Amino acid sequence: HKDEGINISLLPKLKLEGKIFNKIKIFAKNGSELPICFGLTKELLYLLGLYIAEGHAERNFLLLSVHEKDFQNVFNKCTEKIGIKVSERKQNRGDFNINNCLLSDVFSNLCGTSSRNKKLPSWYLELSEQQLSWLLSAYFSGDGTVTDNEIQASSASKRLISDLSYALLRYGINARIRKKRKYATNTLQKTKRQYFEVVISGRDNL
């Protein structure tokens, strides 16, 4: 219970095992709470993929941009299934706040805080092909572009694009990486920046 808890630094000394570990929650001073154990469910991996594509982390909250109605339904089902509260910004419809400093800390450590340092979680190659497909599906749904002869996704993070190319190899998909200078979509500054693209082309890969 949050009013009868212990300092998190004492947890390793308790040597808890088994099912009791799954019942423990972490509480922050501002009221945020989070289970100490998360299952790598379809919903959580979808949410991570969407965060990598369309989210960023602040100290006390996560912000995710989900503007397509169909994908908003998926997003809402995921957060509801995991038990995470979200609120849509009134001034910017389609932007959703997750006001949980603990979850923000977890997501930023796993996947980076903003576009320049995004990455796949360090354990992405340990996922099963099915689990990895959920993560990649959500990412490409949020950040991918499809044309007649290729699928591509771009990012300011070279690390993320490299991770994606290795992840796609799990399915025998050979992707190319290319550099590109373009204007950022989230700023009014008219300065071209360095971006990286992962590109899937060729009949077999597509």
Side-chain angles (χ1 to χ4, degrees):
H1 191 277
K2 63 183 178 181
D3 296 323
E4 302 173 358
I6 62 171
N7 190 287
I8 194 171
S9 64
L10 299 176
L11 268 180
K13 299 179 181 179
L14 297 179
K15 297 180 181 179
L16 299 174
E17 298 179 357
K19 293 182 180 179
I20 191 171
F21 210 75
N22 297 327
K23 298 180 180 180
I24 297 175
K25 286 187 176 182
I26 302 173
F27 293 89
K29 291 182 179 180
N30 68 355
S32 297
E33 62 179 79
L34 204 65
I36 200 168
C37 290
F38 267 108
L40 289 178
T41 62
K42 183 177 184 179
E43 290 78 18
L44 180 61
L45 290 168
Y46 267 157
L47 195 59
L48 276 173
L50 180 58
Y51 168 74
I52 295 168
E54 299 290 355
H56 78 266
E58 298 291 344
R59 182 176 180 181
N60 292 317
F61 67 92
L62 294 169
L63 175 65
L64 288 89
S65 297
V66 190
H67 295 284
E68 295 181 9
K69 290 297 182 182
D70 288 343
F71 213 49
Q72 283 184 10
N73 293 333
V74 174
F75 171 71
N76 288 327
K77 287 179 181 178
C78 288
T79 53
E80 183 178 348
K81 187 75 176 287
I82 298 170
I84 296 172
K85 295 181 180 180
V86 301
S87 58
E88 187 173 9
R89 290 189 169 185
K90 294 181 180 179
Q91 301 298 325
N92 296 292
R93 309 303 292 184
D95 285 351
F96 293 85
N97 273 10
I98 299 177
N99 295 310
N100 188 312
C101 66
L102 297 171
L103 192 66
S104 177
D105 192 46
V106 171
F107 273 40
S108 61
N109 276 284
L110 287 176
C111 305
T113 57
S114 60
S115 60
R116 291 277 160 188
N117 58 29
K118 286 289 182 64
K119 59 185 178 179
L120 295 186
S122 61
W123 34 256
Y124 75 93
L125 289 177
E126 298 177 45
L127 296 173
S128 69
E129 288 190 4
Q130 178 69 83
Q131 289 173 318
L132 184 58
S133 75
W134 294 330
L135 180 66
L136 294 178
S137 173
Y139 171 77
F140 277 99
S141 293
D143 228 15
T145 301
V146 180
T147 66
D148 290 338
N149 57 5
E150 68 179 30
I151 298 169
Q152 66 93 3
S154 64
S155 173
S157 169
K158 185 178 181 180
R159 166 72 181 276
L160 174 59
I161 295 302
S162 177
D163 286 349
L164 290 169
S165 68
Y166 280 111
L168 290 168
L169 283 173
R170 287 283 298 278
Y171 309 96
I173 299 173
N174 293 291
R176 294 179 291 113
I177 295 177
R178 63 191 181 197
K179 296 180 182 179
K180 190 173 186 179
R181 295 190 67 83
K182 64 179 184 178
Y183 297 113
T185 58
N186 60 350
T187 179
L188 296 177
Q189 295 181 356
K190 296 301 181 181
T191 303
K192 287 188 176 182
R193 299 178 180 178
Q194 180 77 69
Y195 285 82
F196 303 89
E197 294 181 331
V198 59
V199 182
I200 304 170
S201 60
R203 186 179 63 182
D204 291 341
N205 290 319
L206 290 171

